[in-house]
Structures are given as structure tokens and as C-alpha cells.
Amino acid sequence: MQSVLIVNGTLISDESIKQEDILIVDGRIISTGRNLPGLPLETNIIEASGKYIIPGGIDPHVHFALPTPAGPSCDDFRSGSLAAMAGGTTFIMDFVTPAPGQDLIEALAIRRQEAESSLIPYKLHAGITWYDDSIPAQMQRCVEEEGIASFKAYLAYKGSIGIEYHELEKVMHAAAALNAIVLVHCEEGDIILKKQQEFVAAGKTSPLYHALSRPPEAEASAVKKVIDLCRKTGCRTYIVHTSAAESLQYIREAKAEGLPLYCETCPQYLLLDESVYREPLPGSLKYVISPPIRGREDREALWLALRDGTVDVVATDHCPFNTFGQKDRGADNFTLIPNGAGGVEHRLELLYTYGVLSKRISLQQFVKLTSANAAKIFGLFPEKGSLLPGSVADLVLLDPDYTSVISANNGMQQCDSDIYEGMPISGKFTVVKTPSL
């Protein structure tokens, strides 16, 4: 029996804030309180005066070693998990992205091999990147034989991994019958493709036109249609990386209606604005992500949505590519720039600094957005995302007095640039080392 006692800290969960000690035995929380009785012999004491104790972060949206024509995203499962731990995240969810026509189970087996190097626990969402009548049976096998109960569909990226609305409806019907959840990338792929072709034909090829080819209404229109499908199918539906104010209003109304709908956003949409696309090359290349970074009104609408519960989860969509050698292949044609940026290392510190310390959200909302809500949505709670007795002791100490400045030169993420370069942050998140089960 191996035990750890964390003393004199402040426990922050999604339900309460308490000045209590916490006892961990063999990797599980046994009890919380003051002057806990019956401590095992040789208990390791961790002093946490002045620190917060929170559940380990859960990031349900990362893309480690994502294959693209420009090469894989910079972080594989080993470096990505190291970066996650450095930022207080102890559990990630990545994706299986089958090639067109590839069997889901075959793609899942390959992806699991790639994920073996992860230093933290993980789960995978199965991407539905193509559709025929065999897909529902493949989804059933994922759920019943492989323990995969979440599926991802893309409405953008027509011609590669995007699917059509009538196909998505069939996926959602199948998922509903399996009590699975469907994650959806909501952007109107046809609108985007048309605008891309028009801009390139007119010689408008800089990163600015990446943003202009994917306007907020392209997202909002897709969100509205997906909500209609959620209502029609009864499928639990999770809108990823929401960025537009109009989208949020549709989601807010759908939640008030009682639909089984969840909403995710990311730090880049909370903290940056569309002016980044007007930076000169090559600096603007690193901000090419989808959906693109929006205007200030959208940003403020997102903060309001965090406070009122419209947004359930702040994830990262972590998918960085090097500026030199990857992103710059599209310096003369924005459609060739691999989409994505890093963030798994910075998520908690950014949301704490610019959310909690700026009085935009409370500490309890912080825990909900970074851990507890994702655990509940994806069937991990109370095993994860909790400080309850019996939960796995994935705990993080938050030192509120620590300050630093984000830089690609001193981080764990494996990329030559960082979209948060130069941003001051407060708070250091240290994963508590406890004996594993």
C-alpha cells in the first residue's frame, strides 16, 4: 500500500471550494477533510499551503501526429502528452481518421499503435470520414467490441474527409441507437470551397483570405442545420471549436429547448482576434486554423457563453505545424497551408490568467470547463474530473503566485512557433505524482 497526503491546500471541484486535506492510497482518492484519521504507515506528505488542488485537466480535442500532405503535426503522442502534463492536463482524447473507404476497426488498430507512446491515459474518437451502408455496423463494432462511444464528422474539407448532411443524419441515427455521441465540425464546406476558388483565381492568396473564405455565417449555418438533426434524431451532439456569436445563440436556444447538445470552444477564439491575419508573412501563417480566429464581438460573446453555461468545454484542437517547412508551403496559396495550432500546454494557464484572474469566470467554472464537464459528457466521471473519494487521483497543484511569459523557445510543444508568443501568464500547474494503480 502506497499513500500520499496533500495538506493545507484548497480543494476546487465543480461543486465546492474547501480548505481540506486529501488522502490518496494506491492511486485513488480515499478521503478528504481535516485531521484525517487512520493514515497508513509511511504516508508521503505534500505541503500545499497557498495552492489550489484541482482535478487533472481533460482535453477532449487534440490531434497528435495527424498525417497531412505537409507532413504530420509536430507533436506525436509522446511529446504531446509531455506538453499536456506540463500544462496540468492528465487525460486527452484524440482521433482516428480513416482514409476514404478504410474500415474503422482497421484504422483504430493502427491509431492505437501510434498512441502507445502516450505518457498519460487517453481515449479515441472514431472519425466518420466517408459513408456507405456499412458504416452503421462498423460503428456498432466500435461501441460493442472496442469501447469507442464517440464519433467525429466533418462538414468542411469537401473532397477529402468531409461528409454530406444526409450522411451525417444517418450517422446520428446510428449513434443514437448505440447511445453514442457525435462530434461535429460545423462549417459549410460548399460555401468555403467556392470562396477559396474565387479568391485564388483573383490572386488573393495570403492567410487573410483563409479567414475571409470561412466567414462566421458559414459556421452558424452549419450549426443550425446540425441542431435540426440533433432534434430529429435525438442523438447526443457535441459542436467542436465553436467560434461565432451567431452559432452560440443557436446553441443557447437549443439547450433551453432541452436538446442533448454540448458546445466546445478553444483558447484561441477567446484570446486572439482576426487582426492576426494582417501580420506580414511568415508571421501570419501560424494562425491558419479552422474555423479561423474571429472578431472581437465574437470573442466577447464566447466569454459570455462560458459564464452562462452555453459553452461546456474549453479544449484546444491542438494540431501544430512548423512555420518553416510546413505552413510556408502555402505562403503563396492559403489553401495549401496545413490548418492547426498548438495549445495543449497552455490551456489551463491561459484560462486561469485571462478568465479567473480577470473575473470573467469563477474557479469552479474553470474546473467545469477544463475537466469536470468533459468527464461527464464522455463517460469518464467520477473516475476522472472529480475530487470525490473513489476517484482516480489525477490531481494538479495550482500555484497562483507563479508568473511567466509564453514562448516557443521554452515550452514542451514541438513547434517552431506559438500563437500565444509573448503572452504573460499567471499560475503554474503541477501534476501530483502518485503511485499508479
Side-chain angles (χ1 to χ4, degrees):
M1 181 181 295
Q2 302 181 71
S3 63
V4 174
L5 180 66
I6 306 175
V7 299
N8 301 321
T10 301
L11 275 61
I12 313 290
S13 73
D14 63 326
E15 299 291 343
S16 64
I17 299 177
K18 298 178 180 178
Q19 299 283 331
E20 290 186 340
D21 303 335
I22 185 165
L23 176 63
I24 301 156
V25 177
D26 292 340
R28 286 196 180 271
I29 297 171
I30 299 301
S31 58
T32 61
R34 286 295 196 186
N35 302 312
L36 295 173
L39 297 181
L41 294 175
E42 300 182 2
T43 296
N44 181 32
I45 307 295
I46 296 177
E47 175 59 54
S49 295
K51 295 182 174 63
Y52 300 123
I53 304 165
I54 62 173
I58 297 172
D59 191 340
H61 190 164
V62 302
H63 297 279
F64 296 157
L66 177 73
T68 78
S73 54
C74 295
D75 282 307
D76 60 16
F77 278 86
R78 179 176 174 79
S79 67
S81 60
L82 280 169
M85 282 193 291
T89 289
T90 59
F91 191 93
I92 56 95
M93 300 185 77
D94 205 299
F95 297 82
V96 182
T97 309
Q102 185 180 25
D103 182 82
L104 295 184
I105 305 301
E106 175 189 329
L108 173 60
I110 295 169
R111 192 62 168 159
R112 280 177 169 158
Q113 289 181 334
E114 294 170 346
E116 286 180 354
S117 61
S118 178
L119 300 176
I120 59 177
Y122 71 91
K123 287 190 77 171
L124 297 171
H125 310 290
I128 307 297
T129 55
W130 60 279
Y131 191 87
D132 69 13
D133 290 342
S134 71
I135 289 294
Q138 293 185 49
M139 291 172 63
Q140 185 174 358
R141 286 188 62 196
C142 284
V143 172
E144 295 179 355
E145 300 175 18
E146 303 293 341
I148 303 294
S150 52
F151 300 91
K152 170 78 174 290
Y154 301 81
L155 293 170
Y157 309 119
K158 289 296 179 71
S160 57
I161 59 175
I163 65 173
E164 303 294 337
Y165 284 101
H166 69 275
E167 295 170 329
L168 175 60
E169 181 177 347
K170 293 176 182 178
V171 168
M172 292 174 71
H173 273 299
L178 295 166
N179 195 30
I181 187 169
V182 173
L183 294 73
V184 189
H185 178 137
C186 291
E187 288 185 293
E188 295 281 9
D190 292 333
I191 291 174
I192 292 166
L193 185 59
K194 183 174 184 292
K195 286 183 174 292
Q196 287 177 334
Q197 292 169 342
E198 290 172 350
F199 284 138
V200 172
K204 298 176 178 179
T205 59
S206 75
L208 172 63
Y209 295 97
H210 166 76
L212 295 178
S213 70
R214 308 177 93 100
E217 54 267 27
E219 175 187 294
S221 172
V223 166
K224 188 174 187 297
K225 292 177 184 177
V226 169
I227 289 172
D228 289 340
L229 292 177
C230 175
R231 184 182 297 109
K232 183 176 182 179
T233 64
C235 177
R236 297 174 64 231
T237 306
Y238 181 101
I239 309 295
V240 298
H241 49 46
T242 309
S243 67
E246 186 180 356
S247 301
L248 293 168
Q249 191 54 38
Y250 290 137
I251 292 167
R252 184 177 287 112
E253 292 167 359
K255 286 189 162 198
E257 185 183 333
L259 295 183
L261 187 71
Y262 307 97
C263 176
E264 167 198 285
T265 193
C266 308
Q268 54 265 36
Y269 305 117
L270 293 164
L271 298 172
L272 305 175
D273 67 63
E274 59 195 353
S275 65
V276 297
Y277 294 112
R278 299 185 183 277
E279 291 184 13
L281 291 170
S284 55
L285 293 170
K286 65 183 178 181
Y287 301 106
V288 172
I289 61 176
S290 294
I293 294 161
R294 304 294 189 191
R296 296 186 180 186
E297 289 184 4
D298 296 289
R299 187 173 65 183
E300 291 308 309
L302 282 166
W303 281 111
L304 173 61
L306 261 63
R307 290 194 296 275
D308 71 14
T310 301
V311 170
D312 299 283
V313 174
V314 176
T316 60
D317 195 9
H318 179 92
C319 190
F321 296 93
N322 285 318
T323 297
F324 299 102
Q326 289 187 300
K327 292 258 187 189
D328 59 356
R329 66 175 287 160
D332 298 323
N333 183 343
F334 69 89
T335 67
L336 301 179
I337 303 170
N339 285 205
V344 73
E345 185 173 359
H346 307 313
R347 180 176 64 119
L348 271 67
E349 62 191 12
L350 288 169
L351 197 58
Y352 177 72
T353 301
Y354 297 99
V356 175
L357 295 185
S358 298
K359 310 281 187 204
R360 291 178 177 268
I361 59 172
S362 69
L363 276 167
Q364 285 178 264
Q365 287 173 318
F366 171 81
V367 169
K368 289 180 180 180
L369 291 162
T370 59
S371 184
N373 283 353
K376 293 174 181 178
I377 292 167
F378 293 105
L380 304 169
F381 191 88
E383 190 85 349
K384 305 279 186 182
S386 169
L387 300 180
L388 295 171
S391 300
V392 172
D394 286 344
L395 304 181
V396 169
L397 294 183
L398 164 54
D399 179 356
D401 296 327
Y402 177 88
T403 60
S404 185
V405 176
I406 292 175
S407 173
N409 295 326
N410 59 21
M412 297 295 293
Q413 297 178 172
Q414 301 296 299
C415 191
D416 64 5
S417 64
D418 196 308
I419 60 173
Y420 305 109
E421 186 76 30
M423 292 186 71
I425 56 96
S426 296
K428 184 174 181 61
F429 296 83
T430 303
V431 175
V432 176
K433 303 295 183 183
T434 63
S436 60
L437 291 172

